[in-house]
Structure formats: structure tokens, C-alpha cells
Amino acid sequence: MRNVKLILLAIIILINSFVTTACWNYREVENLAIVAGTAVDKGEKARYKLTVEIVKIAAGNNAITESKLISVEGDTIFDCARNAISVSGKRLYWSHNKILIISKEIAEKGVIEMIDWFNRDSETRANVHLAISTENTAEDIFKGKEVIQSIKAFEMEEMLKNENSLSKAPRTEVWEFANNMAEEGIYGCTAAVKLQKMDGGEKTPAVGGTAIFKGDKLIGIVGEEETKDILFAQDNIKGGLLVETVKEKDKDKEIPISFEIFKSKTKIEPVFNKNQVKMNVDIETTVTLAELGGGKNFIGEKGREELVKLSETILKERVEKTIKKIQQEYGTDVFGFGKKIYENHYKEWQKIKDNWDENFKNLQVNVKTKIIIKNSAMLSKPLEVRKN
């Protein structure tokens, strides 16, 4: 009898699990205004102008996905988001928002309000990509022509994800930027986005360069090559190319060379001497020789040794030059040198942290580079040109 009761109870529980199970937050797609991307500019009648790229999904077997832009104004970001209902007729759905683009004008005054809302609100996500527009407005980016995907925000997300193969822009999410604002010894930086001309004269959104911040305020933007140097110093190189030009000995001929980066590791070590601190930055990069634009044999043992020394010197000089530029022109520690002192030399950090911005400008940074050439791709010798 006891076994029969247990079997009946199990059957009742099983039936209830099917009958009562449902998605508590289920919503019909047709009733949602799905946000793919967001742009923030200065408003004309209010503090902010919020532009959102809305995904339009046509129902049916042959569903077509396209997007449209909605712009509203408000005195806060949340105010803008709610005001959008009067334009779209639907409440905005933020879970698929991929990128937040802020205009230079707004970013120079401070981005903390935008960061706060995306971190605080329950409907938004803090893993949204953060970027600064180098165009006149952030809205301009969404007015560009898409190349592959019909949703420009999704296309830019793919660009940022694929930066691992380029290393020409940092990949920063809202939560990460918020953490950098709060941490000691480091300032934030984000990707810069722009419109790039294509064949035919149309412009399309493109990612490249670094927006540099002091606190929550934008203070400058550097280019793609300098960005790569910053990423080397930050230990944030995941891949990409090293393109260098070397001169043959006793000749004026320049040889362009491309290395593909397989892996890179940067070690940052603060060194104290009494009350003075200097920073040692050791970069070790493993590459493959992907392109050799000349007939000189850099692939043999002797040639490879020469190429390694030349390449190490070029990389060292580039990184040192970029670090010096950031120190002198911006005076903001985006490399996290101060953070490294805070983590490993807490007592010393307490003595210098109040004047770290000034100390950083005059900080001695010693860069050491080591390049390991893994192979020479598919060829074991340089291409030759027959002499007549």
C-alpha cells in the first residue's frame, strides 16, 4: 500500500511539473521594441538626446530583420528611455543592447550618469560595449551604411569581438569601465568609433583608436598604432599583426615585414630605490613571419637573429614613445602602473598615491622586448627575382 501511495505521489508531481511550468517573464516579440544599440548626445531642448537602434522582426517563415532609429530627449538617461515610449508606442527592451556610443561633447563633461544607469537599472546589462564617437555626434555612427549585417549595433559588436585579431582598439564593457573609475592607480580607456568611406562614397561604421579618460571625463583620443602600443604595455595583446620596416645593411632599400602575433605576455614590475620608483615593462611576444617584402634572407639562422634584434628594437622604441606621449600630453595612467604598485607595494603606494598623477608624468619606464619567431609560414626561404 505504501508503495502505491509513493507511485501516485510521484505521478501527481510529474503532471504538475508539466502543467504549471511556464516562462514567468514571457513576452511576444511583436509587442517589444528591442534595442540593439544606443547613442547619447547633447540635447537641444533637454540635457541629453538618446538615439536607439530598434530591431524590427517581421513574423512568418521568411522573417526579415531590419532596424530603425528612434531619437528622444530628456534630462536623465532614464528619462530619455521612458520618453521613447511616446515615439515607439512600446516599452524599450534592453536585454539585447550591444553597444553604448557617447559623443565627444558629452564624454568631455563626464560619462558617470550613463555608466550609472546601465549598471543600476534591472532591465539593462552592464556587459554592454562602451565606445566614443569621433564624429560630430554619436547618432551619426548609426546613420552609416551597414556592410554585412542589417543591424549596425550587431555589426559593431562583431568588430569589437574580432579586435583580438587586430589589436587596434581596446574592448571595454560598461562594468569594466566603472571598476576602473573606482580603482586606485588606473584610469579607463575605451574604443573609438568613426565613419569610414567605402567605394562609392558611402560611409560605414568602423572601430579604431583609443579614447583616454581621466576619472569619467574624456581628455583625448589616440590612433590605431599607438593603441597597439598601449595594449602591449597593458598586457592586453591577444593577437594581430606587427608591421615593421627594416633597412638592409649598407643599402637604402627598405623591407616591409609582417609578423602575426600568436601570443604576448607583458610583465610590469615596480622597482623602488629609497623614495623613487621606476617601472620595468618586459614584453615577450611569439610571432610567425607572415610576409617578407624583399629578397634578403631573414629566414636562415643568421638572418633570423638579425631580424629578431631589429624587430625588438623597433617594438621597444615604439612602446617607449607612446608611453612618453601619454605621460606628457595626457598625464593619465591608463597602463595601470599605479595599480600594480597598489597591489604589490601597498605601504609605498600610501605614501605616493596623493601625488600619483604628477609622479606618473615623470615616471621612469624601462621597456624590454623579446620576440620569438615561431616559423616562416608556408615558405622556408625568401622569394627570389631572376636577374636578367
Side-chain angles (χ1 to χ4, degrees), residues 261-278:
I261 301 171
F262 273 87
K263 62 180 179 179
S264 184
K265 180 66 179 175
T266 300
K267 181 181 178 182
I268 302 172
E269 183 182 7
V271 178
F272 285 88
N273 183 12
K274 297 181 181 180
N275 293 327
Q276 297 295 318
V277 60
K278 65 179 180 180

Side-chain angles (χ1 to χ4, degrees), residues 204-218:
T204 183
V207 174
T210 299
I212 297 175
F213 284 77
K214 193 165 190 176
D216 75 321
K217 294 179 174 61
L218 174 70

Side-chain angles (χ1 to χ4, degrees), residues 93-124:
Y93 185 70
W94 292 92
S95 293
H96 294 287
N97 186 38
K98 300 300 182 183
I99 189 168
L100 169 62
I101 303 173
I102 302 173
S103 69
K104 287 189 294 184
E105 185 178 14
I106 291 293
E108 286 169 355
K109 295 178 181 178
V111 300
I112 194 166
E113 286 193 29
M114 281 65 74
I115 302 301
D116 180 81
W117 186 70
F118 275 88
N119 272 284
R120 188 182 302 276
D121 194 271
S122 61
E123 295 184 5
T124 58

Side-chain angles (χ1 to χ4, degrees), residues 126 256 361 383:
K361 292 178 183 179
L383 293 177

Side-chain angles (χ1 to χ4, degrees), residues 324-343:
K324 185 63 69 175
K325 177 178 178 177
I326 300 297
Q327 287 177 300
Q328 294 178 348
E329 294 187 18
Y330 303 107
T332 176
D333 184 3
V334 295
F335 307 104
F337 293 154
K339 181 181 177 182
K340 186 64 66 172
I341 299 172
Y342 168 75
E343 291 174 343

Side-chain angles (χ1 to χ4, degrees), residues 129 149 153-163:
H129 294 290
Q149 297 198 43
F154 293 170
E155 199 164 59
M156 282 186 279
E157 182 198 25
E158 288 301 312
M159 292 178 196
L160 286 165
K161 285 181 177 179
N162 290 326
E163 275 302 316

Side-chain angles (χ1 to χ4, degrees), residues 244 259 306-316 371:
E244 300 177 351
F259 295 107
E306 181 184 345
L307 181 58
V308 165
K309 289 179 181 179
L310 286 170
S311 301
E312 288 175 344
T313 300
I314 292 171
L315 179 59
K316 170 184 168 67
I371 290 181

